[in-house]
Structures are given as structure tokens and as C-alpha cells.
């Protein structure tokens, strides 16, 4: 007799992802996440949330948080997400995220969380002063994804490890509760230009909302002058651009600017080098600034338009929350039954 592997999840494909309302959205969030969401909504059932529960893992001013949630929603809409096609909702409006996260806290192992590099990066030398939420944030992220049985998670490179943890949690849950086909093992969708945009001040650090230097990033709401100035001041080196990507290996700042140009223009890094090889940054930076202004200017403009009507944003979020709650309810009910909770 041969042992047959249990049948894995065979449900429909679904996309889920989100962005934290923890500050101004930047070019990395746009290229690494928003552009992908917009494309995917036409291919797969897509759920995109505003991760306000994740945002409070570090201090957020309560007077600002709701308006930051609206700002992220405005960015989604400005990037091209259509609330009639994708489900757009605030995480905290769906209580099931927190309920499932608790159950997953009891499935995930401490050793797994100890390996998460983003916590180490964010906590730095003083981890004992950080919130418990910052440490267990990847478990909440697993709940965000699996509550909707999402099969695909479009994210930037920095989130790859968290999606892998989600797969581990899904696998252990399915095994522990003898339900091999219950949760899918979701795939991160990282490929493509823009998966890892680096700081304009330091080619070894990713572009981030929480970087204290505003010159490290291009914000989606920056005007043309600010964009051009930040690119002009971006750290580079005195060498001209080379002919091959290999020669850029030890020049992270130069590589980053070439990567940004390629991602904004929908071309490969090699194609950009083919056009600019031999030119110095004095020539390349103004071209990059023109391209960035042409691509991002309309996005910032549209964001401002959406933000001028907070009532409209709120009704989009309320309708999305309703849809998300309906999609989440059966999964949570089945999970409670599998776990053996009273009344489930
Ligand atoms: N530099 C980046 N390059 C490409 N993708 C990026 N993302 C973030 N930074 C880059 C992607 O954007 C999505 C939303 O990220 P998030 O706001 O949920 O959290 P984060 O990854 O922690 O982003 P930040 O900007 O660095 O925020 P803070 O400073 O608040 O932590 C994710 O898909 C992420 O991969």
C-alpha cells in the first residue's frame, strides 16, 4: 500500500495585500505594492486593506490615524484601484482579523518569530522597549491573508519572510487540526521592477516611511519641485553609468536610480543602461527627475482630489468593510469549529 499525500487546498485564487497608514506613502510603496494591486484587480478577486492595526504597533497620533487611513485609500484610488472591482477596506473594521490572529499566536512558534529580520531592523538595540504588537505583527499579517484564504500576496522584497511565515502557520494549522486542505499556502508575488527601492541617501537601506530624512524618499504627494530637488540631491558617485549591470554591483546608489528609472518607464535595467551608458549623473538625474514628475505628478494630483472629499472615501471604506466582513465570517466560523471552541 502506498501513502497518499493529503490533497492540498483547491479553492479559488484570491489576492490580498495592504499598506500601513503610518506616514506619507512613497515611491517604494507605489512601485512595490500599489502598481501591482492595480494590475491584479483585473486578473484575480482582489482584497486590499489599510493596515491600521499594524500601524499602531508603533505610536500613531490618534488625532491623525483616521485621516492617514483616508490618505492611503486616496492613494489606492489614485493608483487606479477601482472599489467596484477590488474590495478596499480598513483592517480594524473587520474584527475577525484580531480573532484569527489570537488563534495563530497559539499556532506560531516563538522560534519562528525570533527569526524575523524586520523586527530586528525596526527594534534595533532596544527591543525590550518595543510593543509586543511589533513582535507579533507577522502573526496578524498571517491572519490578514488567511482569513480570506488568499492564494497570492503582492508585496515588496522586504515582506517575503513574513509571507513565508504565513505559509508555515497555514501548514501547521492544517496539520494540527487535521484539515490538510483548509488553508492555502499563499505565494508572495515579488517579481518585477520596483520590488526593492532603496533610500535616496543610502543605497543599502530600503526607502521607508519612517526614515527620519524626508530626502531619503519621494513621497506620492511631493510636488514637481520637491521631486526634482530630491533626485538632484540623491547620493551617487562620480563615475559615469556603465554598459553592463555587472559593473553596477558595487554601486548601490547608482543601481537604485537606474532601477527607479526602469520601473517608472516599464523597461528593464539593462535597457536603461543601454540608453545612458557613458553618461554621468549630471545628465542622468534631470532625465530621471522629468520621468518621475511625469509619472508621479498625476498620481499626487488625483490623491489630492480624492482627499478633498473625505465623505466619499468613507463610504467606499464602509462598503468595502461590509464585503470583507461577509467574506471573512465563514472562515472564522470554520476555524472556531476546528479549534473546538464552545458554540462554534
Ligand atoms: N522600499 C520599498 N521598495 C519596494 N516596496 C516597498 N514596500 C515598502 N517599502 C518598499 C512595500 O510597500 C507595501 C506596504 O508597506 P507597509 O507600509 O505595509 O510597510 P513597510 O514595508 O514597513 O513600509 P515602509 O514604507 O518601510 O513603512 P514603515 O517605515 O512605516 O515601516 C509592502 O508590500 C512593502 O513590501
Amino acid at each position: 500500500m502506498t501513502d497518499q499525500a493529503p490533497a492540498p487546498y483547491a479553492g479559488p485564487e484570491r489576492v490580498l495585500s495592504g499598506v500601513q497608514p503610518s506616514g506619507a506613502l512613497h515611491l517604494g510603496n507605489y512601485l512595490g505594492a500599489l502598481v501591482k494591486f492595480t494590475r491584479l484587480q483585473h486578473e484575480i478577486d482582489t482584497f486590499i486593506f489599510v493596515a491600521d492595526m499594524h500601524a499602531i504597533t508603533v505610536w500613531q497620533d490618534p488625532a491623525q490615524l483616521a485621516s492617514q487611513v483616508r490618505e492611503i485609500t486616496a492613494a489606492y484610488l489614485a493608483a487606479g484601484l477601482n472599489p467596484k472591482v477590488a474590495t478596499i477596506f480598513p483592517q480594524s473594521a473587520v474584527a475577525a482579523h484580531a480573532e484569527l490572529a489570537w488563534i495563530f499566536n497559539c499556532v506560531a512558534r516563538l522560534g519562528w518569530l525570533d527569526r524575523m529580520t524586520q523586527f530586528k531592523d525596526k527594534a534595533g538595540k532596544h527591543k525590550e522597549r518595543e510593543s509586543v504588537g511589533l513582535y507579533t505583527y507577522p502573526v496578524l499579517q498571517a491572519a490578514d491573508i488567511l482569513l480570506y484564504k488568499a492564494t497570492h500576496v503582492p508585496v515588496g522584497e522586504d515582506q517575503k519572510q513574513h509571507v513565508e511565515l504565513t505559509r508555515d502557520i497555514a501548514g501547521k494549522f492544517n496539520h494540527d487540526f487535521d484539515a490538510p486542505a483548509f488553508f492555502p499556502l499563499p505565494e508572495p508575488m515579488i517579481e518585477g521592477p520596483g520590488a526593492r527601492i532603496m533610500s535616496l541617501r543610502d543605497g543599502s537601506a530600503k526607502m521607508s516611511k519612517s526614515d527620519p530624512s524626508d530626502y531619503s524618499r519621494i513621497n506620492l504627494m511631493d510636488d514637481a519641485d520637491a521631486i526634482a530637488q530630491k533626485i538632484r540631491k540623491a547620493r551617487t558617485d562620480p563615475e559615469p553609468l556603465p554598459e553592463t549591470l555587472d559593473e553596477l554591483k558595487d554601486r548601490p546608489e547608482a543601481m537604485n536610480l537606474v532601477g527607479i528609472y526602469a520601473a517608472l518607464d516599464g523597461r528593464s535595467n539593462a535597457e536603461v543602461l543601454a540608453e545612458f551608458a557613458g553618461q554621468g549623473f549630471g545628465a542622468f538625474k534631470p532625465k530621471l527627475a522629468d520621468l518621475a514628475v511625469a509619472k508621479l505628478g498625476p498620481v499626487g494630483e488625483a490623491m489630492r482630489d480624492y482627499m478633498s472629499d473625505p465623505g466619499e472615501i468613507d463610504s467606499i471604506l464602509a462598503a468595502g468593510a461590509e464585503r470583507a466582513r461577509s467574506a471573512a465570517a465563514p472562515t472564522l466560523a470554520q476555524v472556531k469549529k476546528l479549534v473546538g471552541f464552545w458554540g462554534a
Side-chain angles (χ1 to χ4, degrees):
M1 210 169 77
T2 51
D3 276 349
Q4 283 216 315
Y9 179 80
E13 292 194 327
R14 184 175 268 172
V15 158
L16 179 131
S17 196
V19 174
Q20 300 182 61
S22 51
L25 276 191
H26 54 73
L27 181 66
N29 301 130
Y30 179 70
L31 294 172
L34 270 56
V35 170
K36 288 185 196 164
F37 303 168
T38 303
R39 179 172 46 81
L40 285 164
Q41 68 181 335
H42 302 296
E43 297 167 14
I44 312 182
D45 185 23
T46 295
F47 280 61
I48 302 295
F49 66 105
V50 185
D52 51 355
M53 291 164 69
H54 285 285
I56 63 162
T57 55
V58 298
W59 174 250
Q60 302 295 332
D61 181 349
Q64 295 294 324
L65 188 57
S67 70
Q68 286 171 199
V69 169
R70 292 189 191 101
E71 187 175 327
I72 302 289
T73 310
Y76 288 163
L77 300 170
L81 270 182
N82 178 346
K84 295 206 171 78
V85 178
T87 301
I88 303 172
F89 64 101
Q91 184 185 25
S92 63
V94 185
H97 287 248
E99 289 186 76
L100 186 59
W102 178 256
I103 293 167
F104 284 171
N105 270 327
C106 303
V107 172
R109 305 289 94 179
L110 269 181
W112 299 357
L113 284 183
D114 280 343
R115 285 198 290 274
M116 296 297 112
T117 54
Q118 197 181 73
F119 176 76
K120 290 180 196 159
D121 292 346
K122 288 197 173 178
K125 290 198 190 97
H126 302 291
K127 71 177 177 135
E128 64 288 350
R129 288 188 210 157
E130 296 299 338
S131 71
V132 175
L134 187 67
Y135 186 71
T136 60
Y137 157 126
V139 177
L140 176 58
Q141 196 170 335
D144 302 333
I145 297 165
L146 295 172
L147 190 54
Y148 303 95
K149 298 195 174 178
T151 52
H152 295 82
V153 188
V155 282
E157 177 75 39
D158 60 315
Q159 291 292 337
K160 183 167 180 236
Q161 198 185 30
H162 291 169
V163 182
E164 281 162 1
L165 181 90
T166 299
R167 292 169 64 89
D168 290 342
I169 291 174
K172 185 161 163 40
F173 183 96
N174 290 353
H175 176 267
D176 289 356
F177 296 100
D178 205 16
F182 188 71
F183 281 127
L185 305 190
E187 298 284 347
M189 302 177 88
I190 293 168
E191 72 292 338
R196 190 163 170 77
I197 303 294
M198 309 309 284
S199 156
L200 299 180
R201 311 299 296 163
D202 174 0
S204 67
K206 75 162 188 150
M207 188 176 282
S208 169
K209 298 186 208 93
S210 49
D211 191 314
S213 166
D214 196 49
Y215 277 91
S216 68
R217 64 183 158 259
I218 296 173
N219 302 310
L220 290 189
M221 298 277 276
D222 281 346
D223 61 21
D225 286 348
I227 295 174
Q229 200 188 20
K230 286 176 178 180
I231 291 176
R232 204 165 46 242
K233 285 185 180 284
R235 190 165 149 193
T236 40
D237 55 48
E239 303 299 317
L241 284 167
E243 278 175 17
T244 64
L245 282 173
D246 231 30
E247 296 165 85
L248 273 184
K249 264 210 312 259
D250 299 322
R251 298 171 62 189
E253 283 86 12
M255 178 63 125
N256 190 35
L257 294 190
V258 168
I260 291 174
Y261 194 106
L264 284 172
D265 209 28
R267 288 202 271 167
S268 68
N269 291 356
E271 284 169 325
V272 174
L273 281 189
E275 182 178 339
F276 291 100
Q279 300 190 30
F281 285 98
F284 181 69
K285 280 181 170 178
K287 295 268 172 46
L288 176 58
D290 288 347
L291 177 65
V293 168
K295 296 285 178 178
L296 299 179
V299 179
E301 195 79 0
M303 270 182 82
R304 270 182 275 274
D305 266 5
Y306 284 115
M307 281 161 65
S308 67
D309 190 352
E312 174 61 16
I313 293 185
D314 285 350
S315 57
I316 288 171
L317 289 174
E322 196 55 51
R323 261 152 70 183
R325 279 193 287 267
S326 305
T331 310
L332 187 67
Q334 288 160 359
V335 166
K336 286 181 172 177
K337 209 176 175 81
L338 285 168
V339 170
F341 279 165
W342 177 88

